Amino acid sequence: MDPWATVIIPLYLLVMTGAVLYHGRKAKTFKDYALAGGSLPWPVICATILATSIGGGSMMGYVGAFYQYGVMYFWLVLGSLASQLILIVFLSERIKQLDIYTIGDIFEMRYGRKAQLIAGVINLCVGIAVGFGMLASLSALLSSYLGISEAAAGIIGVLLFGITVTMGGLKGAAVTDTVQSVLIIGGAVAVAAVSFTRAGGVEGLSGLPENLLSMSAPNLPPMLFWGMVASSFFVNFADQAAMFQRINAARSPKDAKKALLSSSILVAVCMGLVMIMGLSARILLGDGIGENQVITELLKTVHPLVGVLYASAIIAAVITTANAMYLSAAMTFSRDLVRYFVPELSDRKMVLASRFFVWAAVIVSYIVVRFQPSIMKWILIGYACITCLVLPLYGGLMTKKATPASGVWSLALSIAGVVVWETLGCPWQVNSVFPALLLGLAGFAAGCFHSIKSTEEQKKLVDRFRRKAEG
């Protein structure tokens, strides 16, 4: 047990939790709770995107992945960066001007209520799956640093996530994300610099096996790995928690665009630092350490204060990502699912339904993580689920030929493909993203020939999306 950690980490958790509750106390309406009133300036949006994108998967899981598989894993970072640039240049302003809460709102306007319901279920799967990964990250870290059992650490995580999400909303999360993003960057710089130096710098890393230094090394089955790269590319186009929710919380389309550009650069830099940590850990620790344990073992090799700084940065990243995911799932639950069956649901009851869902979700997360604590597994399943939304989402916004059946069939077939393929254990080592995309494309194309065509109102959404954004 690190004496510095036993003081700094609990104090940090208390301060951040108090800050979230203080700044989130004014959230009275659903828009206040879910989108911070849609009035956040771009620096705050930038910070909250960074803090959400760099979660436990990045600061713990990715360090272990680079340690085990080498620089080839940076393809996932490049895939994500490429899609963010496309989002910035072509899509963010158009999305902002649609004035929506959830991705399900777009599916309802373009395809109807059935598509909204299926898209809502998919978004729930995304939020909950990534939430599992975040709880696994936090449990492993608190257990290692505070000397408590993972079961006790998991209970702390459940309470922390439940309280901050239900009482803070996006306003509370966004304000504290600004502080935590500084901690995330500072922690990454400090540990990367120290571990890189202790590993011998460039000369030391050049001594690693060739397969760890090559972007084209076959360290993972090709169809499994490139499916991961594909999902990291597609995920930003339909990521409600880190992208859509943040874009729609910006006070203008221009603010959303500035925030995306600056955050994409910072995320790429942070992931470069994470890669340095993973490769340095291979030199300092040798082979044979489990992916989830690499970062905790690496931190034991640096000064305790530096280690606690990074541990606090991981906690910051985990909390912000978990908050975003559970809040996104809660929005979907109340607005896209509960409201589907209770159309006249009041604004106040939507907020209450969202808060009820969060507590139920974090309790389920605790139970599941006790049996399957893998961080990256849950995150990659979440990515695969998001991919199911991309084709019918943008296909419907770009062409008037798509019918309501196009959206419903594409969504249903693609998510069924992910569920079945993952249940079968990814046969032939093919990533579930590929059958999901093929089935989704088949459903979308077949739907274009359906006898029930889109209404004029549904087609107008295409014109709204194509129109150049104002302001």
Side-chain angles (χ1 to χ4, degrees):
M1 189 187 304
D2 188 333
W4 287 103
T6 57
V7 174
I8 293 175
I9 290 178
L11 180 62
Y12 172 75
L13 291 176
L14 287 173
V15 171
M16 284 297 104
T17 302
V20 168
L21 299 182
Y22 176 78
H23 290 289
R25 72 192 189 285
K26 294 182 180 180
K28 304 299 182 184
T29 67
F30 187 75
K31 188 171 185 178
D32 289 338
Y33 179 72
L35 299 178
S39 60
L40 296 179
W42 76 263
V44 176
I45 295 293
C46 169
T48 193
I49 291 176
L50 170 65
T52 301
S53 300
I54 304 294
S58 300
M59 302 192 80
M60 290 186 70
Y62 267 77
V63 172
F66 282 120
Y67 163 88
Q68 187 162 343
Y69 304 114
V71 299
M72 68 173 295
Y73 230 77
F74 203 73
W75 280 113
L76 275 73
V77 180
L78 295 178
S80 179
L81 179 61
S83 61
Q84 276 193 296
L85 294 176
I86 294 173
L87 196 66
I88 292 163
V89 176
F90 299 108
L91 303 175
S92 62
E93 292 182 344
R94 300 175 188 274
I95 291 168
K96 172 62 179 173
Q97 71 181 0
L98 293 179
D99 192 26
I100 50 95
Y101 285 87
T102 67
I103 289 177
D105 289 340
I106 298 179
F107 281 98
E108 180 186 18
M109 290 187 288
R110 183 62 183 89
Y111 298 116
R113 298 294 297 280
K114 288 183 180 178
Q116 180 195 34
L117 180 64
I118 300 171
V121 171
I122 293 173
N123 260 321
L124 278 184
C125 293
V126 172
I128 293 173
V130 178
F132 289 167
M134 294 305 100
L135 187 58
S137 300
L138 190 62
S139 298
L141 188 68
L142 292 180
S143 174
S144 174
Y145 261 81
L146 300 182
I148 59 178
S149 68
E150 289 203 11
I155 292 173
I156 293 173
V158 166
L159 294 173
L160 192 64
F161 294 164
I163 292 170
T164 54
V165 178
T166 56
M167 303 308 295
L170 184 57
K171 179 68 173 179
V175 173
T176 54
D177 284 357
T178 306
V179 176
Q180 297 192 117
S181 63
V182 175
L183 186 58
I184 289 169
I185 295 172
V189 169
V191 176
V194 172
S195 58
F196 179 70
T197 302
R198 292 195 171 187
V202 174
E203 184 178 352
L205 296 189
S206 65
L208 285 168
E210 185 177 346
N211 68 307
L212 295 180
L213 300 176
S214 172
M215 291 282 284
S216 59
N219 296 334
L220 281 168
M223 291 299 287
L224 190 64
F225 177 71
W226 289 109
M228 292 159 58
V229 175
S231 66
S232 70
F233 173 76
F234 286 116
V235 68
N236 288 323
F237 293 122
D239 187 347
Q240 180 168 283
M243 296 298 163
F244 271 64
Q245 192 176 0
R246 268 54 183 172
I247 289 172
N248 291 314
R251 62 187 175 189
S252 73
K254 296 297 184 184
D255 276 85
K257 194 171 185 177
K258 287 180 183 178
L260 283 171
L261 179 59
S262 51
S263 64
S264 65
I265 295 170
L266 291 173
V267 169
V269 170
C270 282
M271 292 308 296
L273 296 172
V274 166
M275 179 175 70
I276 290 173
M277 288 181 224
L279 297 177
S280 299
R282 190 62 177 255
I283 295 288
L284 295 171
L285 305 176
D287 194 5
I289 298 176
E291 285 185 46
N292 283 10
Q293 284 71 49
V294 172
I295 187 60
T296 54
E297 292 300 316
L298 179 63
L299 294 182
K300 292 176 183 178
T301 69
V302 302
H303 190 279
L305 279 177
V306 176
V308 171
L309 172 65
Y310 190 78
S312 299
I314 295 176
I315 291 172
V318 169
I319 292 172
T320 52
T321 301
N323 281 1
M325 290 299 170
Y326 285 121
L327 182 58
S328 171
M331 286 171 56
T332 298
F333 175 75
S334 58
R335 188 172 175 83
D336 296 339
L337 302 186
V338 176
R339 204 165 61 96
Y340 180 88
F341 299 102
V342 188
E344 303 303 320
L345 191 68
S346 69
D347 192 81
R348 178 176 174 275
K349 288 183 178 179
M350 275 201 291
V351 174
L352 291 175
S354 298
R355 288 171 170 162
F356 169 81
F357 171 83
V358 170
W359 279 111
V362 295
I363 291 170
V364 170
S365 298
Y366 176 81
I367 296 169
V368 172
V369 168
R370 295 295 297 148
F371 292 97
Q372 176 50 270
S374 173
I375 298 170
M376 290 305 297
K377 177 180 176 63
W378 290 119
I379 291 172
L380 292 172
I381 287 176
Y383 283 5
C385 292
I386 293 177
T387 301
C388 298
L389 299 167
V390 175
L391 194 150
L393 176 65
Y394 292 100
L397 290 173
M398 295 302 295
T399 176
K400 295 181 181 180
K401 292 183 179 180
T403 69
S406 297
V408 172
W409 293 353
S410 181
L411 288 168
L413 287 174
S414 57
I415 192 61
V418 170
V419 172
V420 171
W421 210 254
E422 290 289 343
T423 301
L424 294 175
C426 295
W428 307 293
Q429 296 184 316
V430 173
N431 195 291
S432 59
V433 166
F434 293 120
L437 288 173
L438 289 174
L439 289 169
L441 179 61
F444 185 83
C448 291
F449 299 99
H450 196 269
S451 58
I452 300 177
K453 303 301 181 182
S454 298
T455 65
E456 289 304 313
E457 191 65 29
Q458 289 171 334
K459 292 178 181 179
K460 286 181 181 178
L461 186 65
V462 179
D463 295 326
R464 284 177 60 191
F465 184 74
R466 289 176 177 176
R467 191 165 54 239
K468 183 176 176 60
E470 299 176 2

